[in-house]
Amino acid sequence: MMGGFCYSTTLYPHTSPIIAAEAYPTITYRTITLSQKPSPHSDHLRRPITHKPPNPSLPPKPEAPANPLKNPLSSNNAPVNPPLQNLTNKLWLTSKLSPPPPPPPPPLSPQETLTDEGSLEKPPKVEFRQEGKIFVGNLPLWIKKNDVAEFFRQFGPIKNVILIRGHDDIERNMGFGFVIYGGPVAARSAMKAVEFDGVEFHGRVLTVKLDDGRRMRAKAEERARWVEGGVVEYRSKWHQERDGSRGEFQKVLESRPEDWQAVVRAFQRIKKPSRKEFGLMVNYYARRGDMHRAREAFESMRARGIEPTSHVFTNLIHAYAVGRDMEEALSCVRKMKDEGVDMTLVTYSILVGGFAKVGNADAADQWFKEAKERETTLNAIIYGNIIYAHCQTYNMERAEALVREMEEEGIDAPIDIYHTMMDGYTMIGDEDKCLLVFDRLKECGFTPTVITYGCLINLYTKTGKVSKALEVSDMMKCAGIKHNLKTYSMIINGFIKLKDWGNAFLVFEDVLGDGLKPDVVLYNNIIRAFCGMGNMERAVRTVDEMQRRRHRPTTRTFMPIIHGFARTGELRRALEIFDMMRRSGCIPTVHTFNALILGLVEKRQMERAVEILDEMLLAGTCPNEHTYTTIMHGYASLGDTGKAFEYFSKLKNEGLELDVYTYEALLKACCKAGRMQSALAVTKEMSAQKIPRNTFVYNILIDGWARRGDVWEAADLMQQMKQEGVQPDIHTYTSFINACCKAGDMLRATKTMEEMELVRVKPNVKTYTTLIHGWARASLPEKALRCFEQMKSAGLKPDKAVYHCLMTSLLSRASVAEEYIYSGILHICEEMVQSGLTVDMLTAVHWSKWLCKIERTGGEITEALQKTFPPDWNTHETYDSASYTEDSDIDDGDSDDDDGIDDSIHRYTDLVVREP
């Protein structure tokens, strides 16, 4: 047996079911089946239905009898009307006595839906007709949009003109089009234009009528059929071919974006590209950074009469931003505003990111501020771009404030912003904060990626802590993260900075062992390593290997090779590599010319360096501040103050930036020539330009006073350094010791050595050589010998200059016949022979003069000393030693620059060779 009980979901107290059914026609009745056995009358079970108010358009249905047994209540629920509940419990045929179920409702159309109450809801009628839009027919085929707009503008402001162009000839239209009026009176303007139906226009009688939405309706129906998966019916074979070529174009864009030729061919096969295809092409060129072809595609679209939207304009701006041409990007923004195209948040984000890449944080801030004023909400992308802008300019305080502002706005920082902050702290060398961000990244639930570990590796390689970078590499392996080419390049670059060529090549072998194919950046680092160790031929062969592997060399590839050959004096090979670079398709830049000029300057070939500068101007390449500063350093090394000031004037007249390297070159020229008053004038101009004096500037000035033996001025400069918080280095102390030795103040020189020990600055070979020379000038060879032994006990290896200075000092005092002098001479001769050191012929002649005074007929000292003479000494008959006087001893204070360019130009060398 089955018991069917119906209960009412909405019944008010003291209201009978019949009255409720009449007064509340939307009440729903449900049937609850308690028996698990099927009833023989299961086909007549009552189904959930929704009672609707009667439709006046339909004939009235016969009313059901007002039977109190029709709507019984379930006994399992709270009773609303107890008498009815009792009556219902007595009847088990309630299901039979209920009215028969209504017929099943017809299937719903895709546009119809059921409401929550079960009623049928039809969608609102779509209005395809656009207000203010008119159809214009019988136009001349040659007519242009401007002509149509000029004629119909008399009826009201025009928003747009659409001319339908032919698929067989895109230069001619199909003879009809649409005019869309804008503004609050668009409908009235359209009605006025329709009144001129039949007007004559360029020899044609125009058909002007309101748009009936036929074109938009057809597009909507076609789109609906496509959504349903139906077969698209093409109007012609031409339309079918065009649709197929569009699909093929998008397929190539998605599957083979690296094959630009395939993308261009697929685009060209589209017979009549639409705004969508042109926009995709502009976006493709933008992602490649090819701003010229992006502009070409943009202008081609406009030439076809297709007006760009905000999306297309944004893609073009993106192309210029990737190409770092922000002036053209801003011109596109001005064009957008002139044409009334609104900027979106994506447009603002691209502008902020573009200025961030060129290092213009002020402009990025300006556009970010405008985006905040015009856009209701910002996203993490634009915040990431503005944070990156300030990180690139080392303004980490502003970057931290932006991160706080973003979090206060409720925007969660993605992992990319953590990486940006880590990179910013890396650039300012703040290891503690970089590690703090790394820890915070893990606390927020992010899993460190290869980029995260790459930021740490970059931090340690830039600060010279390659051992810690290798520890991070081990952390990556433990986390199961493999190195990529960028992380390997960072480690190789770290070893190159330390001039550890062997480990750099071992890491390169690890790259090949991991199955990675080296890219251009990695090859460039290896070429730098080969050039650094002097293996120029191997560097050239690496370039050939790059080309065989279809890697296109860049100017950075050739710069260290050109500089290396020029530095070794092989100017012919340097010019050959220069021509090889041109044949490889690399246009010489100012940085390439700078590398060539720098190599010539380091070899003191100033005439040839100036010739290259002239060739540079003839090639249309303008010199920059690095070019002129390199020339100035060259003339400064020669002590040519006039030429140094001449190129300084050229640099100023051309409006180039004056930096500390420029003034270092001027100071060096003045000090080399002994013009210390001019040097003081240069320092005053530095103060006027608000360029602070660093350690290298003080070193040049102290060395200049040391050359003159003015220990008091040198001591004043040492005091100024300490007051300004500039830390003296080993070169500062060496120059000051030289000033003390020149002045004969050996007591102060000794105290300076003790001060170096207190501040933990270790003396180098040149420091000891300067002190030995001071004791020799003071005629105290025993002190010179003692200083020599201290140098060896410090683990330093004596060089040729030390032996020359000490031996000359001992030979000059050997006539006194002191025992320690004879033993010292023999001991030094033995060390020189063991080290394989021989002196030049001029030194040999000078020493032989002292030998004649010590041992007229030869002896043990003569025999030991002649072992250090050149091999052709015995065959040499005579040598003019008149130019070699007793006072021509080595002066290490004056020879600081004889090893090439001094420390300031060595720092400058790295800057020029590694320019982007």
Side-chain angles (χ1 to χ4, degrees), residues 349 352-353 356 368 379-391 402-403 406 411 413-414 416-418 420-421:
S349 181
V352 173
F368 179 75
N379 56 22
I381 297 176
I382 191 169
Y383 268 109
N385 287 337
I386 189 63
I387 290 170
Y388 174 75
H390 289 289
C391 288
L402 286 167
V403 172
M406 182 182 66
I411 302 173
D416 294 336
I417 292 184
Y418 286 91
T420 302
M421 294 297 290

Side-chain angles (χ1 to χ4, degrees), residues 512-765:
L512 303 178
D514 286 351
L516 298 176
K517 294 182 179 180
D519 59 358
V520 176
V521 176
L522 201 58
Y523 273 119
N524 288 352
N525 284 335
I526 291 300
I527 289 172
R528 280 181 56 209
F530 281 125
C531 294
M533 65 186 300
N535 194 346
M536 305 302 300
E537 298 301 329
R538 186 69 181 89
V540 176
R541 289 199 297 271
T542 305
V543 176
D544 297 334
E545 182 181 346
M546 284 180 65
Q547 294 174 331
R548 284 196 303 271
R549 295 181 180 271
R550 298 186 177 277
H551 289 297
R552 183 179 178 182
T554 63
T555 53
R556 277 197 167 193
T557 308
F558 294 100
M559 280 170 58
I561 304 177
I562 293 172
H563 174 254
F565 278 124
R567 189 174 186 178
T568 56
E570 300 183 53
L571 183 59
R572 183 180 60 81
R573 290 302 309 276
L575 294 176
E576 286 178 0
I577 299 299
F578 196 79
D579 294 336
M580 176 182 175
M581 179 188 68
R582 285 174 166 168
R583 290 193 300 270
S584 299
C586 297
I587 301 175
T589 63
V590 62
H591 311 300
T592 318
F593 282 106
N594 286 351
L596 184 58
I597 291 173
L598 181 61
L600 295 170
V601 165
E602 290 177 343
K603 293 299 293 183
R604 309 292 175 88
Q605 299 185 22
M606 296 307 301
E607 293 183 2
R608 190 71 184 97
V610 173
E611 291 177 6
I612 296 297
L613 179 61
D614 295 337
E615 292 179 13
M616 182 178 176
L617 294 170
L618 291 175
T621 305
C622 297
N624 60 9
E625 58 270 13
H626 299 310
T627 313
Y628 289 119
T629 303
T630 304
I631 299 289
M632 289 170 60
H633 272 290
Y635 282 118
S637 300
L638 299 177
D640 194 338
T641 311
K643 286 289 186 182
F645 273 95
E646 176 185 340
Y647 283 96
F648 178 76
S649 300
K650 286 184 179 181
L651 193 151
K652 287 183 66 176
N653 294 336
E654 294 184 12
L656 298 175
E657 182 182 0
L658 300 174
D659 56 10
V660 68
Y661 297 103
T662 309
Y663 286 104
E664 283 177 6
L666 277 183
L667 289 172
K668 180 182 169 186
C670 296
C671 294
K672 185 85 173 180
R675 296 174 55 178
M676 296 309 298
Q677 297 302 320
S678 300
L680 293 177
V682 172
T683 57
K684 289 181 181 178
E685 184 174 344
M686 285 182 67
S687 301
Q689 296 289 339
K690 296 182 179 180
I691 298 177
R693 288 185 279 185
N694 56 19
T695 304
F696 300 97
V697 171
Y698 277 109
N699 290 350
I700 293 171
L701 292 172
I702 292 173
D703 184 69
W705 290 114
R707 292 172 186 273
R708 301 178 63 171
D710 196 333
V711 69
W712 301 108
E713 290 288 348
D716 287 343
L717 288 171
M718 290 286 290
Q719 193 65 27
Q720 287 181 28
M721 285 186 73
K722 295 173 183 178
Q723 291 174 355
E724 294 180 9
V726 181
Q727 187 65 33
D729 60 5
I730 180 60
H731 307 289
T732 314
Y733 285 112
T734 301
S735 297
F736 184 67
I737 289 172
N738 183 37
C740 298
C741 294
K742 283 275 188 80
D745 193 348
M746 296 307 297
L747 180 61
R748 181 174 291 191
T750 304
K751 289 182 178 180
T752 304
M753 291 288 288
E754 295 173 357
E755 181 184 341
M756 290 175 65
E757 186 177 353
L758 291 175
V759 297
R760 296 183 179 180
V761 177
K762 294 182 179 180
N764 58 14
V765 175

Side-chain angles (χ1 to χ4, degrees), residues 32-91:
I32 302 177
T33 302
L34 300 179
S35 175
Q36 295 181 353
K37 295 181 180 180
S39 171
H41 306 284
S42 59
D43 294 338
H44 300 286
L45 289 178
R46 186 179 178 89
R47 303 299 178 192
I49 61 172
T50 302
H51 294 278
K52 296 185 177 181
N55 192 342
S57 63
L58 299 176
K61 294 183 179 180
E63 294 184 3
N67 190 347
L69 307 180
K70 183 174 76 170
N71 295 316
L73 295 177
S74 173
S75 61
N76 298 331
N77 293 280
V80 178
N81 196 336
L84 182 61
Q85 181 186 22
N86 296 334
L87 180 63
T88 305
N89 288 335
K90 296 178 181 179
L91 299 175

Side-chain angles (χ1 to χ4, degrees), residues 192-437:
K192 286 183 181 179
V194 171
E195 293 176 1
F196 280 77
D197 181 26
V199 69
E200 184 178 352
F201 180 69
H202 290 283
R204 296 284 189 101
V205 178
L206 295 183
T207 300
V208 184
K209 56 184 180 181
L210 290 175
D211 176 42
D212 57 3
R214 186 186 310 168
R215 186 164 177 263
M216 299 300 295
R217 184 183 298 107
K219 283 189 173 183
E221 292 174 354
E222 182 180 349
R223 187 179 297 110
R225 287 194 300 270
W226 181 83
V227 170
E228 295 173 6
V231 179
V232 179
E233 296 180 2
Y234 296 101
R235 286 176 287 173
S236 65
K237 185 179 179 181
W238 181 89
H239 289 88
Q240 183 177 0
E241 292 176 352
R242 183 181 67 166
D243 194 62
S245 60
R246 286 175 173 177
E248 183 64 26
F249 170 63
Q250 293 191 13
K251 182 179 178 181
V252 173
L253 268 181
E254 295 171 359
S255 59
R256 292 187 292 166
E258 70 283 350
D259 190 354
W260 69 271
Q261 293 177 336
V263 173
V264 172
R265 285 195 300 266
F267 177 75
Q268 291 174 347
R269 280 195 290 267
I270 304 175
K271 295 183 179 179
K272 188 181 177 183
S274 64
R275 181 186 289 109
K276 178 181 178 181
E277 283 75 43
F278 276 111
L280 289 173
M281 206 63 198
V282 174
N283 178 264
Y284 174 74
Y285 285 129
R287 285 185 281 111
R288 290 176 58 89
D290 194 344
M291 53 187 177
H292 301 296
R293 285 191 171 89
R295 186 75 189 206
E296 182 183 352
F298 180 83
E299 295 299 336
S300 177
M301 181 189 71
R302 302 201 72 164
R304 291 171 180 258
I306 304 174
E307 293 299 327
T309 61
S310 175
H311 177 71
V312 181
F313 266 118
T314 300
N315 283 330
L316 183 60
I317 293 170
H318 183 212
Y320 284 116
V322 173
R324 298 174 183 265
D325 191 349
M326 296 310 296
E327 290 297 328
E328 284 296 328
L330 291 179
S331 70
C332 292
V333 173
R334 290 191 291 269
K335 190 70 174 175
M336 282 182 71
K337 293 182 177 180
D338 293 341
E339 297 184 8
V341 181
D342 294 331
M343 296 176 64
T344 64
L345 181 59
V346 179
T347 314
Y348 284 113
S349 181
I350 289 173
L351 286 171
V352 173
F355 281 112
K357 289 180 180 178
V358 299
N360 191 346
D362 294 335
D365 258 334
Q366 177 185 351
W367 287 105
F368 179 75
K369 183 179 179 181
E370 183 174 327
K372 288 177 66 177
E373 294 173 352
R374 299 201 174 191
E375 301 293 332
T376 55
T377 57
L378 304 181
N379 56 22
I381 297 176
I382 191 169
Y383 268 109
N385 287 337
I386 189 63
I387 290 170
Y388 174 75
H390 289 289
C391 288
Q392 291 298 303
T393 54
Y394 314 111
N395 189 358
M396 296 308 297
E397 292 182 1
R398 175 62 177 155
E400 292 170 0
L402 286 167
V403 172
R404 286 193 298 270
E405 177 184 323
M406 182 182 66
E407 292 175 346
E408 290 172 359
E409 293 289 335
I411 302 173
D412 293 331
I415 194 172
D416 294 336
I417 292 184
Y418 286 91
H419 295 159
T420 302
M421 294 297 290
M422 290 176 67
D423 187 57
Y425 289 125
T426 297
M427 287 188 288
I428 65 174
D430 195 336
E431 180 180 345
D432 295 334
K433 285 195 174 181
C434 184
L435 294 175
L436 185 65
V437 175

Side-chain angles (χ1 to χ4, degrees), residues 45-176:
L45 289 178
R46 186 179 178 89
R47 303 299 178 192
I49 61 172
T50 302
H51 294 278
K52 296 185 177 181
N55 192 342
S57 63
L58 299 176
K61 294 183 179 180
E63 294 184 3
N67 190 347
L69 307 180
K70 183 174 76 170
N71 295 316
L73 295 177
S74 173
S75 61
N76 298 331
N77 293 280
V80 178
N81 196 336
L84 182 61
Q85 181 186 22
N86 296 334
L87 180 63
T88 305
N89 288 335
K90 296 178 181 179
L91 299 175
W92 58 274
L93 294 177
T94 310
S95 61
K96 289 185 179 181
L97 298 177
S98 299
L108 300 178
S109 63
Q111 290 80 15
E112 294 177 335
T113 58
L114 281 174
T115 63
D116 294 337
E117 293 79 10
S119 62
L120 190 64
E121 179 183 6
K122 292 186 178 180
K125 185 178 179 181
V126 180
E127 182 63 45
F128 294 103
R129 180 179 173 276
Q130 183 177 352
E131 189 179 35
K133 183 178 180 180
I134 62 173
F135 168 83
V136 182
N138 201 27
L139 288 166
L141 301 182
W142 51 266
I143 205 69
K144 302 296 182 183
K145 290 176 60 174
N146 293 336
D147 300 328
V148 177
E150 184 179 356
F151 178 77
F152 283 94
R153 190 175 290 118
Q154 60 183 309
F155 306 113
I158 292 178
K159 181 180 179 181
N160 194 11
V161 175
I162 302 174
L163 291 181
I164 308 303
R165 298 185 178 274
H167 59 265
D168 54 345
D169 187 1
I170 60 175
E171 297 298 329
R172 301 172 69 86
N173 61 71
M174 293 291 289
F176 67 93

